[in-house]
Amino acid sequence: MSEEKETVKERSSGFISVRDIPGVGSSIADKLEAAGYLSAWSIVVARAEELAEKTGLPVLTVQKIIESARKMLGITFKTAREVKQERLNIGKITTGSKSLDELLGGGVETKTITEFFGEYGSGKTQICHQLSVNVQLTPEKGGLNGRAVYIDTEGTFRWERIEAMARAIGLDPDKVMDNIYYMRAYNSDHQIAIVDELFTFVPKNDVRLVVLDSVTSHFRAEYPGREHLAERQQKLNSHLHQLMRLAEAYNVAVVVTNQVMARPDVFYGDPTTAVGGHVLAHTPGVRVQLRKSKGNKRIARVVDAPHLPEGEVVFVITEEGIRDSEEE
Ligand code: ATP
Ligand code: MG
């Protein structure tokens, strides 16, 4: 028994099937898989009630499976030194702008959600494209040698931008495009289902960055106005928590965008936007506000992050991608 645990734990960097969980027989495994739970990690991070509901298994059985999966994956008390070691494992992806990287404490981090919010044209989508390219760089150059998943809800992904950005930093554009897995999400249910699938897809495909551009648009369209606000926020929160679990479980960076109006006072019909914006209020993560400035200049500011430097930085959007502003 203990020998078996060791061998499974050794493989814990890669994909571990629910079938590897001690005590899970093939009929239970079939039910888990039919409900979309393929990896042991997806079990560990699931809530028992939800898992029971989706699989039709009794809550007690489900609790035992979760417990067993936790033991197998070695999820238990850690020493402070182990916590330190895990912290050192956090990866950072360069944005292409040194000042923006500094503002973020060295780049966009894994194991967390980074939200870029701002008005139309403020650079949210361009940053998502740039990060999808840069994650593929070597660590010395600011990448994680990894692939990207790009979930597009608005149809604004452009392969031409990926090509141009890759070429600009001396990478083979075709290879870079091969390493970005693109999916259009057609509504909020689809968006949620895609993220469920990522618990299997991410570890199997060396993915280190997951982009959701935008995380909010479907939810806003489907739950409009004040009367749906509570329901929308609740669905969005649960979606964001799922993303947080994904980031932590697989040491990936999750980047989401959120369009907010430049002048909230003229948009009082939508209270979430009117109060200024960001959707991560109840989820841990980093929130970055983007504003338009003169020409191709953009201003970034981190909000509500005591561990990051205060203040604003300027960057530019060029044909080559996100860069430092030369005037700074
Ligand atoms: P929205 O809320 O509408 O989705 P956004 O914040 O995603 O907006 P982006 O699409 O990232 O905004 O930014 C668009 C801006 O990026 C354009 O206004 C333009 O200034 C700049 N841009 C886009 N493509 C290029 C390019 N090829 N060369 C230079 N600048 C570009
Ligand atoms: Mg956009």
Side-chain angles (χ1 to χ4, degrees):
M1 181 75 189
S2 65
E3 275 173 36
E4 196 182 322
K5 258 194 236 163
E6 277 312 308
T7 44
V8 176
K9 212 178 152 186
E10 275 165 27
R11 289 191 274 127
S12 70
S13 56
F15 176 75
I16 303 172
S17 161
V18 289
R19 292 176 190 278
D20 294 328
I21 302 172
V24 170
S26 62
S27 80
I28 289 184
D30 289 345
K31 286 190 178 132
L32 292 171
E33 290 182 349
Y37 296 90
L38 304 184
S39 71
W41 272 105
S42 69
I43 301 297
V44 162
V45 298
R47 283 191 311 111
E49 297 77 30
E50 190 183 329
L51 195 55
E53 197 180 301
K54 287 194 183 163
T55 55
L57 290 165
V59 176
L60 258 176
T61 309
V62 159
Q63 281 168 342
K64 281 189 190 142
I65 297 171
I66 293 176
E67 193 48 43
S68 176
R70 281 194 185 135
K71 278 202 191 120
M72 176 184 73
L73 295 171
I75 299 171
T76 167
F77 276 113
K78 295 176 188 118
T79 65
R81 231 162 78 99
E82 284 167 339
V83 174
K84 177 186 172 191
Q85 197 50 47
E86 281 188 6
R87 183 66 213 166
L88 294 176
N89 285 344
I90 285 180
K92 291 174 186 183
I93 309 167
T94 177
T95 59
S97 152
K98 281 206 178 73
S99 1
L100 185 52
D101 287 350
E102 270 164 35
L103 184 78
L104 297 169
V108 168
E109 288 191 345
T110 61
K111 291 199 181 180
T112 195
I113 303 180
T114 304
E115 173 186 352
F116 289 97
F117 70 101
E119 59 179 311
Y120 75 94
S122 58
K124 304 181 292 293
T125 297
Q126 294 302 309
I127 289 178
C128 292
H129 280 68
Q130 187 74 62
L131 290 169
S132 303
V133 173
N134 289 2
V135 69
Q136 303 182 38
L137 290 164
T138 59
E140 301 79 62
K141 293 194 166 158
L144 298 172
N145 270 331
R147 298 197 173 115
V149 162
Y150 200 109
I151 304 165
D152 183 7
T153 68
E154 296 170 330
T156 52
F157 178 82
R158 296 287 173 270
W159 60 265
E160 294 90 336
R161 293 299 290 138
I162 299 294
E163 220 175 43
M165 289 174 179
R167 201 167 274 136
I169 54 175
L171 296 178
D172 176 344
D174 286 342
K175 278 198 189 136
V176 168
M177 289 192 285
D178 279 340
N179 288 328
I180 299 174
Y181 298 106
Y182 173 85
M183 175 105 75
R184 180 84 197 260
Y186 289 100
N187 54 51
S188 67
D189 283 341
H190 186 210
Q191 188 174 323
I192 291 164
I194 294 170
V195 173
D196 285 342
E197 253 179 67
L198 289 180
F199 279 86
T200 308
F201 189 85
V202 162
K204 277 191 174 171
N205 293 285
D206 294 326
V207 172
R208 300 305 303 280
L209 167 71
V210 171
V211 167
L212 270 118
D213 184 23
S214 97
V215 75
T216 39
S217 57
H218 285 317
F219 291 89
R220 284 226 173 91
E222 292 166 32
Y223 303 93
R226 234 172 242 281
E227 66 270 33
H228 294 117
L229 180 63
E231 195 185 356
R232 179 216 293 174
Q233 202 55 42
Q234 189 235 320
K235 296 231 171 194
L236 202 46
N237 282 347
S238 118
H239 183 50
L240 287 163
H241 276 117
Q242 185 77 339
L243 286 167
M244 194 65 208
R245 292 189 202 125
L246 181 75
E248 283 177 347
Y250 298 119
N251 195 13
V252 296
V254 172
V255 169
V256 305
T257 70
N258 174 28
Q259 193 196 60
V260 299
M261 298 293 152
R263 288 188 55 204
D265 53 308
V266 298
F267 202 63
Y268 47 78
D270 181 346
T272 46
T273 309
V275 292
H278 57 73
V279 288
L280 277 176
H282 304 289
T283 316
V286 178
R287 314 170 235 293
V288 189
Q289 182 182 30
L290 300 177
R291 288 186 345 258
K292 285 193 259 192
S293 182
K294 270 191 202 148
N296 65 355
K297 288 205 186 82
R298 298 293 184 274
I299 300 163
R301 184 171 73 97
V302 172
V303 299
D304 304 341
H307 66 291
L308 291 174
E310 289 207 13
E312 299 184 337
V313 299
V314 179
F315 66 93
V316 294
I317 310 174
T318 73
E319 169 57 29
E320 302 199 319
I322 305 297
R323 293 291 183 270
D324 277 324
S325 167
E326 280 167 13
E327 282 171 38
E328 260 206 310

